């Protein structure tokens, strides 16, 4: 099972009339053939058997009845019997796509499901964060990519991922999801997923308005600093005033400051 088998039937087919050999025809009798999942080239005699499930496993009970003919009766028959040994197939994920998204400050809840041909349960699930590219403001780096933990045996064929990403988690993550069955020997399936945490724009916060300065005098210039912070801004912050006499840089009622 799961290993492709090739056989050249023409090597065992000959004809005393040497001039008939180029026109030999190879075939099989479907009514006397119990093997499935194979292909046979009647022109070349090449057989390809691809058994991938336990349904086709058998100890000598699967067979093909071949025929060899030069186009003139009679034809010769030969029976080929197969012993097909089962192997433990790896489980497969049922609902895992190549890309997944979560949004900052919103709960991410996903039930990861898998199945196994031999039903060798429970399954062992694991998630390995291979690398990540975080947002400019994030403190994460390539050695600190874990968003959640997913390790341990489960008593069924599913496990749940539940977490709420923060502003510090915004970025792209490469995750290798692994599921292993309890067969003997066990078998595993790995699937790589690009996981993206989407930024949810956080409002800027005004840190200080002129400090403790609150008094100004007529006909005298008044100057002070207004400072603000924005955890996910990467370009600029814009300050505006609702008065005509309170301006920025002495001339503008609306001022955009570059963010360093």
């Amino acid at each position: 099972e799961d290993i492709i088998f090739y056989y050249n039937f023409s090597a065992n087919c000959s004809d005393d009339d040497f001039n008939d050999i180029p026109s030999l025809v190879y075939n099989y009798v479907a009514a006397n053939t119990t093997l499935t999942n194979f292909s046979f080239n009647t022109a070349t005699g090449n057989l390809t058997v691809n058994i991938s499930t336990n349904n086709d496993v058998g100890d000598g009970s699967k067979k093909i009845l071949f025929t060899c003919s030069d186009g003139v009766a009679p034809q010769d028959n030969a029976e080929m019997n197969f012993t097909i040994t089962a192997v433990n197939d790896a489980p497969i994920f049922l609902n895992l796509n190549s890309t997944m998204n979560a949004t900052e400050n919103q709960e991410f809840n996903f039930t990861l499901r898998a199945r196994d041909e031999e039903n060798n349960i429970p399954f062992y699930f694991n998630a390995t964060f291979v690398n990540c590219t975080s947002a400019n403001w994030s403190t994460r780096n390539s050695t600190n990519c874990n968003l959640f933990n997913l390790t341990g045996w489960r008593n069924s064929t599913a496990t749940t991922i539940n977490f709420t990403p923060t502003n510090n988690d915004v970025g792209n993550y490469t995750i290798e999801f692994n599921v292993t069955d309890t067969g003997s020997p066990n078998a595993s399936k790995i699937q790589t997923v690009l996981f993206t945490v989407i930024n949810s724009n956080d409002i800027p916060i005004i840190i200080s308005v002129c400090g403790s300065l609150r008094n100004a005098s007529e006909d005298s210039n008044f100057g002070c600093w207004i400072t603000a912070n924005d955890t996910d801004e990467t370009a600029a912050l814009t300050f505006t005033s609702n008065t005509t006499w309170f301006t920025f840089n002495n001339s503008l009622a609306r001022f955009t400051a570059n963010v360093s």
Side-chain angles (χ1 to χ4, degrees):
E1 182 189 0
D2 294 336
I3 298 177
I4 298 179
F5 173 81
Y6 299 98
Y7 180 72
N8 183 9
F9 173 68
S10 66
N12 291 336
C13 189
S14 61
D15 195 334
D16 290 337
D17 301 314
F18 186 77
N19 60 314
D20 288 344
I21 290 179
S23 60
L24 291 180
V25 177
Y26 316 102
N27 216 323
Y28 68 95
V29 181
N32 298 95
T33 296
T34 57
L35 183 72
T36 58
N37 293 321
F38 72 90
S39 61
F40 185 68
N41 190 315
T42 58
T44 63
N46 287 322
L47 171 71
T48 301
V49 181
N50 186 11
I51 303 299
S52 59
T53 66
N54 288 354
N55 294 332
D56 296 314
V57 170
D59 186 8
S61 60
K62 306 293 184 178
K63 66 180 181 179
I64 299 177
L65 183 62
F66 290 106
T67 66
C68 182
S69 172
D70 59 4
V72 179
Q75 64 183 18
D76 197 18
N77 300 332
E79 185 175 280
M80 189 174 186
N81 295 86
F82 293 82
T83 296
I84 302 168
T85 304
V87 298
N88 181 29
D89 292 276
I92 61 173
F93 292 106
L94 295 177
N95 59 339
L96 192 59
N97 298 320
S98 59
T99 59
M100 300 176 70
N101 296 328
T103 302
E104 173 199 348
N105 296 330
Q106 294 183 18
E107 183 183 29
F108 178 84
N109 192 296
F110 179 76
T111 299
L112 181 61
R113 304 184 185 278
R115 68 172 177 83
D116 183 50
E117 180 188 348
E118 296 84 10
N119 200 33
N120 290 325
I121 56 175
F123 294 152
Y124 177 84
F125 292 95
N126 184 54
T128 302
F129 288 80
V130 179
N131 57 60
C132 59
T133 303
S134 56
N136 294 346
W137 58 83
S138 175
T139 60
R140 288 191 178 275
N141 53 51
S142 59
T143 61
N144 181 27
C145 290
N146 284 21
L147 286 174
F148 52 82
N149 293 319
L150 184 64
T151 303
W153 292 99
R154 311 297 176 184
N155 59 5
S156 62
T157 58
T159 187
T160 299
I161 302 170
N162 183 270
F163 77 109
T164 300
T166 66
N167 185 254
N168 196 55
D169 299 328
V170 173
N172 297 315
Y173 300 77
T174 301
I175 309 174
E176 288 184 348
F177 285 94
N178 178 287
V179 57
T180 303
D181 65 15
T182 51
S184 181
N186 57 36
S188 299
K189 170 71 174 180
I190 296 177
Q191 185 168 329
T192 302
V193 173
L194 178 61
F195 193 97
T196 301
V197 176
I198 301 171
N199 181 49
S200 177
N201 188 26
D202 295 285
I203 63 172
I205 299 173
I206 295 177
I207 304 299
S208 173
V209 179
C210 298
S212 60
L213 299 178
R214 288 293 182 272
N215 298 318
S217 299
E218 178 185 0
D219 295 330
S220 297
N221 184 60
F222 173 86
C224 71
W225 285 95
I226 297 178
T227 58
N229 180 50
D230 193 340
T231 57
D232 59 3
E233 181 56 62
T234 60
L237 291 176
T238 298
F239 298 81
T240 60
S241 169
N242 64 341
T243 68
T244 58
W245 50 264
F246 200 114
T247 61
F248 301 97
N249 286 10
N250 296 322
S251 61
L252 302 175
R254 180 182 181 91
F255 175 70
T256 300
N258 292 328
V259 175
S260 63

